[in-house]
Amino acid sequence: MIRHRPGILDIDRYVPGRSGPVAGPVAMLASNESPFPPLDRVTAAIRASIAKANRYPDFESRNLTEALAQRWRLSTDQVVLDSGSSSLIRNIATACTGPGTDVIYPWPSFSSYEHAALLTGATPIRVALTPDYRPDLDRILVAINDRTRVVFLCLPNNPTGTTVDHTALEAFVEAAPEDLLIVLDECYREFVTDPNSASGIRLLSRFDNVVVLKSLSKSAGLAGLRIGYALSSPEVCRLLEAVRIPFAVSSPAQAAALACLEHDITSELESRITATVSERSRLFRALSTAGIEAIPSQANFLFLPRQHDAATKVMHLANHGVLVRQVGSQEIRISVGSRSENDHLLAHVDALLTSSRP
């Protein structure tokens, strides 16, 4: 047997909602992807970059870093790029945690927080959501102790689609220790319509221990290219750069992201986000009218609690060409797809009404 770190094979691996090719017409509503393909000019930028695939990508992603810094009115040493936010989450854990330390996060939430903690030997600490499925900032604050190194907050939260008020988040950060890293995972922030919702960007000028994670997978439709970035203080960004894998962001990913930041393309992407938000509302109303409980969402998905025998329901929908995700023994998450995909789901909505209760 190969000698390896004890316990490494006991760590649960990340399980995707659905990946790889699928046969036949299918409503892809399991992975919170954009239903829209890249815009033509983005595709053209990707193709042009492939012509130089024999060369390594720009190690520092300089053009993209400068564009993102300008976009968020920050300095370039406050931006760190990587191959998706999941890589940044792991790098944060690598840089700041290890045996004898704690990582705190709401639960249920994005499973990569727990996975990253376990990989470094840190202790993952789950804090239950509030009764209305929001991150419980008060209970998280109580859970913080001398061992705590990182707090992850997914806002809006995956899989519930809920968030917290900005005033509550600001009060939480003010009350937390200054040497504690607070990671605000905003991969779904572009879909938020509540003006009172938390915004990590608004906190960066005040708190050096806040990190905001952004993704181009959801809002820009670049999930297949794997690119995300962190915004924080120069001190924190230096830590992330110290553990970053060399050449992590490919040339096509850099080219696509840079194209997405052009003004006219950004406007088109915002129109797509508006369309997704509109479909979110339509899907929520349709499910509610059918008698199916769904939690009001600020993301590009809906959370269905109290779905008894969820595994059977997910399988039934899959057999009818609708891919959704089971996120607990009695919970289902449904991504907001295109109008036709959502209609396909609604045509089989009765599957979500059946119950295995006696």
Side-chain angles (χ1 to χ4, degrees):
M1 174 181 287
I2 298 296
R3 288 180 288 181
H4 61 275
R5 199 181 95 191
I8 196 70
L9 296 179
D10 296 327
I11 299 175
D12 291 336
R13 293 187 297 173
Y14 180 80
V15 179
R18 181 64 181 258
S19 61
V22 294
V26 175
M28 303 282 287
L29 307 179
S31 298
N32 300 342
E33 301 153 315
S34 170
F36 305 103
L39 293 162
D40 288 344
R41 281 175 55 189
V42 177
T43 301
I46 294 170
R47 288 174 175 164
S49 71
I50 292 173
K52 299 179 181 178
N54 58 309
R55 302 298 184 186
Y56 284 110
D58 179 1
F59 183 84
E60 301 292 345
S61 305
R62 282 164 293 189
N63 291 338
L64 182 54
T65 298
E66 290 173 1
L68 288 169
Q70 183 176 1
R71 163 70 178 84
W72 297 111
R73 298 180 180 179
L74 299 170
S75 59
T76 55
D77 60 356
Q78 290 182 272
V79 181
V80 176
L81 283 122
D82 216 312
S83 56
S85 59
S86 291
S87 294
L88 289 162
I89 290 166
R90 185 176 294 193
N91 288 347
I92 287 168
T94 300
C96 298
T97 73
T101 65
D102 293 347
V103 174
I104 299 177
Y105 47 89
W107 193 259
S109 193
F110 188 36
S111 62
S112 285
Y113 308 145
E114 184 162 302
H115 187 257
L118 291 170
L119 285 176
T120 68
T123 301
I125 305 294
R126 298 177 176 182
V127 176
L129 302 177
T130 63
D132 58 350
Y133 300 100
R134 299 176 187 274
D136 193 330
L137 298 182
D138 291 337
R139 292 185 65 184
I140 291 173
L141 195 59
V142 170
I144 295 171
N145 57 39
D146 289 341
R147 290 168 47 99
T148 310
R149 295 295 182 271
V150 179
V151 171
F152 286 104
L153 295 174
C154 191
L155 301 172
N157 187 49
N158 176 15
T160 58
T162 52
T163 188
V164 298
D165 288 344
H166 184 77
T167 53
L169 176 64
E170 190 168 23
F172 169 82
V173 177
E174 287 177 340
E178 293 181 359
D179 59 355
L180 174 69
L181 195 63
I182 300 174
V183 183
L184 306 178
D185 186 345
E186 291 193 346
C187 287
Y188 301 97
R189 185 62 176 76
E190 285 74 17
F191 301 97
V192 170
T193 54
D194 181 355
N196 297 318
S197 291
S199 169
I201 298 297
R202 292 168 58 186
L203 300 178
L204 290 178
S205 62
R206 288 191 57 201
F207 302 101
D208 289 343
N209 62 326
V210 168
V211 182
V212 178
L213 301 185
K214 292 286 189 180
S215 170
L216 293 167
S217 296
K218 325 297 182 184
S219 59
L222 300 181
L225 289 180
R226 309 308 304 129
I227 184 166
Y229 58 98
L231 306 173
S232 190
S233 62
E235 176 189 0
V236 172
C237 287
R238 284 194 297 271
L239 291 174
L240 298 183
E241 289 171 346
V243 296
R244 182 174 54 186
I245 295 174
F247 304 108
V249 184
S250 70
S251 296
Q254 292 184 41
L258 197 57
C260 287
L261 292 173
E262 296 178 14
H263 177 72
D264 52 343
I265 294 181
T266 298
S267 297
E268 292 188 57
L269 293 175
E270 288 173 351
S271 296
R272 290 180 166 189
I273 291 170
T274 300
T276 296
V277 169
S278 178
E279 278 297 292
R280 179 182 73 195
S281 298
R282 184 176 76 94
L283 195 56
F284 178 83
R285 290 193 302 269
L287 292 172
S288 299
T289 300
I292 298 166
E293 181 183 7
I295 304 304
S297 175
Q298 291 291 311
N300 66 336
F301 53 83
L302 294 174
F303 178 71
L304 279 56
R306 289 180 274 276
Q307 283 288 322
H308 300 276
D309 200 11
T312 299
K313 294 177 180 180
V314 169
M315 182 62 68
H316 176 85
L317 287 170
N319 291 337
H320 289 81
V322 182
L323 303 181
V324 299
R325 180 157 188 174
Q326 180 183 355
V327 290
S329 60
Q330 298 184 10
E331 294 84 27
I332 293 173
R333 190 192 69 194
I334 300 175
S335 305
V336 179
S338 65
R339 188 175 186 87
S340 60
E341 287 178 311
N342 298 333
D343 285 342
H344 190 36
L345 164 71
L346 294 175
H348 299 280
V349 76
D350 287 350
L352 298 171
L353 287 168
T354 57
S355 174
S356 62
R357 288 176 292 181

